[in-house]
Structure formats: structure tokens, C-alpha cells
Amino acid sequence: ETGVTQTPRHLVMGMTNKKSLKCEQHLGHNAMYWYKQSAKKPLELMFVYNFKEQTENNSVPSRFSPECPNSSHLFLHLHTLQPEDSALYLCASSQTYPYEQYFGPGTRLTVT
Amino acid sequence: AQKVTQAQTEISVVEKEDVTLDCVYETRDTTYYLFWYKQPPSGELVFLIRRNSFDEQNEISGRYSWNFQKSTSSFNFTITASQVVDSAVYFCALSDQNTGNQFYFGTGTSLTVIP
């Protein structure tokens, strides 16, 4: 595997389910990110991890819970989601500032 | 405050035409970085270029070129002789010393190249 991988690519879940999104980077980077991309809306940064430490949490509801066990892996745990949480969730990684971020293919999430 | 504006929401061109995508940014820092990304229908954002605030030279990479002008706070992207494979959403982004790893993305420009 190369670059940034995300699983699953598609996910349909009910509002009472619990699921997790996984991201793995094979680039040796030390920062990882979760973004949300909704239709007709700008990219929204959700969480930033630097060297496994969370450095940003942009007022994300608690039903989204990130986990970064090491610099190569990032998870987004989901529970009790709302239909408006349906979106494309993108993971990215980078060296620390000022370097470019590399993105995974995303997980298309649908909450029913 | 940091901000990136991509005023063009959607652009359509006929194949082989040239097209310029505009990006205007705001930052109070004197040291900052600008980026362009391409998002094809598959969804993955693909990194195209990074430019720092001290380097105002224009850059060319094949059919792609970028025009950075600090005087107008713009970092425009031109595709020469467009092709159908260029159809995608293009994002401009900014990071600076104040925000560090956090990128500020524009809202994107959707480009459609008609064969």
C-alpha cells in the first residue's frame, strides 16, 4: 500500500449504530487530519493530530470521537449520528508545517 | 483572519481552450504558503503545488501554470489546452505561521471540460 488509505470506502449506518472509520498513511508523516466534506459546503477540518497528540478540535460534536494510536493510524469513531452527518470524510497526512497534506480517497458515509 | 476566496463556482470550457482559476487570499502573516489541489469525481484530493510567500516566480508544470501576485493577494492557476481529464473541482488553500498545520481551503471551482 502506498500513500494514504481509508476504509471502508462506503458506509451506511443507522442513527443508533456505532462504527469506525480507519485511516493509514504510508508516507512517514507525523501529522494526520480528519476533514468533512458535505455537498455544496467547504471542506471542514475536524481534528488534527501532531505526533499522536490532538492539537485541533474544531467544535466537533462529541458523537465523533477520534483516536490516534500512532503516527501512521487514525480512527474516527462514530455513534448516534444524525442524517446531516452524511458526507465524505477525508483523512490526510503531512509533515508538520509548512508542508502539503496528502489525502486518502475518503469514506462516503450515509446516515439513515 | 485567514481566508481564501474562489469566486468562480463553476466553469465550463471546450476541450483545448485555456482556462484560469482564480484564488484570492487574506492573511496578516508575512510568511505563508499557498496550495492548489485537484479533486476528480473519485473524491480524493490530489496535491498540485505549494508556493511560499517569498517566491513570486511563476511556475509551469506541463500544461499547468501558476501566477502568484502578492500585490493583489492572488494565486491563480491556468490550464493550457484543457482536456476532458482536467474536469474536477479545484481547491486553493492557505497556511501560515499563525495557523501552522491548519489549512484554510477555498470553496472550490468546479471545472467541466466539454469534448
Side-chain angles (χ1 to χ4, degrees), chain A residues 35-81:
Chain A
Y35 287 87
K36 175 183 178 182
Q37 187 177 32
S38 306
K40 309 294 183 184
K41 285 188 175 181
L43 277 162
E44 300 173 50
L45 178 65
M46 301 175 73
F47 302 103
V48 180
Y49 278 83
N50 260 315
F51 295 98
K52 302 188 300 178
E53 298 297 321
Q54 184 174 312
T55 57
E56 296 285 344
N57 175 347
N58 287 351
S59 303
V60 180
S62 60
R63 56 186 184 269
F64 295 92
S65 174
E67 178 189 0
C68 188
N70 54 61
S71 293
S72 298
H73 294 86
L74 184 64
F75 295 89
L76 187 63
H77 303 300
L78 316 171
H79 65 94
T80 323
L81 294 191

Side-chain angles (χ1 to χ4, degrees), chain A residues 38 73 88 93 99 102 105:
Chain A
S38 306
H73 294 86
L88 180 67
S93 71
Y99 295 98
Y102 289 87

Side-chain angles (χ1 to χ4, degrees), chain A:
Chain A
E1 294 275 20
T2 58
V4 180
T5 58
Q6 289 186 245
T7 54
R9 295 293 308 277
H10 299 273
L11 178 63
V12 179
M13 59 186 289
M15 293 170 62
T16 57
N17 290 160
K18 288 185 180 181
K19 296 286 185 182
S20 296
L21 309 185
K22 179 183 176 183
C23 174
E24 184 173 0
Q25 60 97 359
H26 309 267
L27 300 168
H29 291 161
N30 42 44
M32 295 188 77
Y33 314 78
W34 279 117
Y35 287 87
K36 175 183 178 182
Q37 187 177 32
S38 306
K40 309 294 183 184
K41 285 188 175 181
L43 277 162
E44 300 173 50
L45 178 65
M46 301 175 73
F47 302 103
V48 180
Y49 278 83
N50 260 315
F51 295 98
K52 302 188 300 178
E53 298 297 321
Q54 184 174 312
T55 57
E56 296 285 344
N57 175 347
N58 287 351
S59 303
V60 180
S62 60
R63 56 186 184 269
F64 295 92
S65 174
E67 178 189 0
C68 188
N70 54 61
S71 293
S72 298
H73 294 86
L74 184 64
F75 295 89
L76 187 63
H77 303 300
L78 316 171
H79 65 94
T80 323
L81 294 191
Q82 306 298 312
E84 60 264 28
D85 297 322
S86 298
L88 180 67
Y89 288 84
L90 292 160
C91 174
S93 71
S94 74
Q95 298 291 4
T96 50
Y97 174 83
Y99 295 98
E100 58 273 14
Q101 296 178 16
Y102 289 87
F103 286 79
T107 295
R108 177 72 61 185
L109 173 67
T110 303
V111 181
T112 60

Side-chain angles (χ1 to χ4, degrees), chain B residues 6 8 11-23 36-40 46 48-49 59-67 75-91 109-114:
Chain B
Q6 295 179 257
Q8 304 152 308
I11 300 176
S12 290
V13 298
V14 176
E15 201 170 19
K16 297 184 183 177
E17 287 183 345
D18 299 347
V19 58
T20 295
L21 310 181
D22 297 333
C23 173
W36 275 97
Y37 284 84
K38 173 182 179 181
Q39 186 177 36
V46 177
L48 297 178
I49 189 171
E59 178 138 354
I60 298 174
S61 176
R63 296 184 297 105
Y64 294 171
S65 62
W66 290 269
N67 182 8
F75 186 43
N76 296 337
F77 173 30
T78 297
I79 302 174
T80 303
S82 59
Q83 300 176 2
V84 173
V85 293
D86 296 328
S87 297
V89 180
Y90 291 86
F91 292 93
T109 297
S110 177
L111 173 65
T112 301
V113 180
I114 303 165

